[in-house]
Amino acid sequence: MNYLINILAGLLTIILLVLGLYLFKQRQTELFQQAAAKNHGLNRVFIILGTILIVLAILTAVAILLQSVLWLALILICDAVIVILVPFLLLAAFPQNR
């Protein structure tokens, strides 16, 4: 059972890393017809969220390697909270179309 938890946490690590790199890369391109390079607030949100997701991916990988159930549980709770908040933070950062 322990190996299954490690495999799923490893999959989560890959997902967090891909999401973090994607958001970090999107600060130079257009996303949903909004230029992040022109909107400094949106650019800053992409940088912060991308960095947080990359750091969480690294911490999740370290928790897997430590084989500590307590650390893995704490990191997974943090991962879940941050991943739930990401879409709301992105929606709040986009300017309203008027």
Side-chain angles (χ1 to χ4, degrees), residues 1-12 64 67 72 76:
M1 186 73 163
N2 196 17
Y3 68 90
L4 184 61
I5 293 172
N6 289 337
I7 290 172
L8 291 174
L11 183 63
L12 176 66
I64 293 169
Q67 295 291 319
L72 187 60
L76 290 177

Side-chain angles (χ1 to χ4, degrees), residues 25-84:
K25 190 178 105 175
Q26 284 302 317
R27 59 194 170 102
Q28 300 298 331
T29 61
E30 291 186 11
L31 179 69
F32 304 119
Q33 289 85 27
Q34 297 290 330
K38 295 177 187 173
N39 188 346
H40 296 293
L42 189 58
N43 190 8
R44 173 160 273 157
V45 169
F46 283 163
I47 291 171
I48 292 171
L49 287 178
T51 305
I52 289 172
L53 289 174
I54 292 169
V55 168
L56 281 176
I58 293 169
L59 289 176
T60 306
V62 169
I64 293 169
L65 294 175
L66 288 177
Q67 295 291 319
S68 173
V69 176
L70 178 65
W71 284 111
L72 187 60
L74 289 174
I75 292 297
L76 290 177
I77 290 170
C78 290
D79 290 347
V81 169
I82 296 298
V83 168
I84 288 171

